Amino acid sequence: GDLGQDTEAKEAAAAAATPVVAKNTATRTNFLADWKGMGLNVGFEYFTAKNFGSSFIFSNTTDSEDGYSVYGSYDFPDTAFGLYARYDSVKPKKDVEPSLKDTYYNGGIEWHADKNITWAFGFKSDELKDDSVSPASPDLKTQEVGVWLQAKY
């Protein structure tokens, strides 16, 4: 798709540019596998995308990205408590900056107050780093500890 970037003004500017700016098409493919039973929920997600940023639609530059996630949760039998965890790994700019990598994970304990309210106490970590820098140092790292609420209606 065009990610909302296909306008007459942008088409005219791209055609008038020297050299002519090609119009790229954004594509994305997702895969999800999930299993749930006996209080356990586990899953795996994978995605791949090409030119999936508005700056790549009217540009002679192309880029791609891909990544995966693994996650799981377990609700303890005969209680209102459970555990959860997730890990994500993404190469956000495979062609433009191939050494850039984003790693995210979280985990914690959850309490199901009732069928519509779940409280979670957990930890989140997100790190975007560039492996081409020697020694490798994180460009951006955030870590959080908190309490979250999920309300279903």
Side-chain angles (χ1 to χ4, degrees):
D2 299 325
L3 301 176
Q5 301 300 308
D6 190 5
T7 64
E8 287 183 31
K10 288 189 178 182
E11 292 256 356
T18 305
V20 173
V21 176
K23 180 178 158 191
N24 295 322
T25 300
T27 59
R28 182 176 172 112
T29 302
N30 297 336
F31 171 78
L32 169 69
D34 186 87
W35 181 83
K36 187 172 188 172
M38 300 177 290
L40 182 65
N41 183 36
V42 293
F44 172 81
E45 293 179 78
Y46 172 80
F47 82 94
T48 183
K50 184 168 181 167
N51 301 324
F52 212 76
S54 59
S55 63
F56 293 113
I57 299 303
F58 286 102
S59 170
N60 287 331
T61 303
T62 62
D63 199 9
S64 61
E65 62 183 300
D66 67 6
Y68 67 91
S69 300
V70 291
Y71 59 89
S73 65
Y74 180 72
D75 290 331
F76 294 103
D78 303 320
T79 73
F81 294 94
L83 299 174
Y84 65 92
R86 179 182 182 111
Y87 174 83
D88 297 356
S89 179
V90 175
K91 298 286 281 180
K93 297 181 177 184
K94 285 177 60 175
D95 303 329
V96 177
E97 294 181 57
S99 59
L100 197 61
K101 183 179 180 181
D102 189 6
T103 303
Y104 169 85
Y105 60 89
N106 71 39
I109 300 169
E110 56 190 7
W111 172 52
H112 307 287
D114 64 33
K115 70 177 187 170
N116 294 325
I117 301 291
T118 300
W119 290 93
F121 175 77
F123 176 77
K124 295 180 181 182
S125 177
D126 192 5
E127 182 177 33
L128 180 66
K129 74 179 190 178
D130 187 344
D131 290 334
S132 68
V133 178
S134 183
S137 62
D139 293 343
L140 175 65
K141 185 171 187 171
T142 60
Q143 295 183 324
E144 301 175 32
V145 174
V147 177
W148 291 269
L149 168 69
Q150 176 182 335
K152 299 177 190 174
Y153 55 93

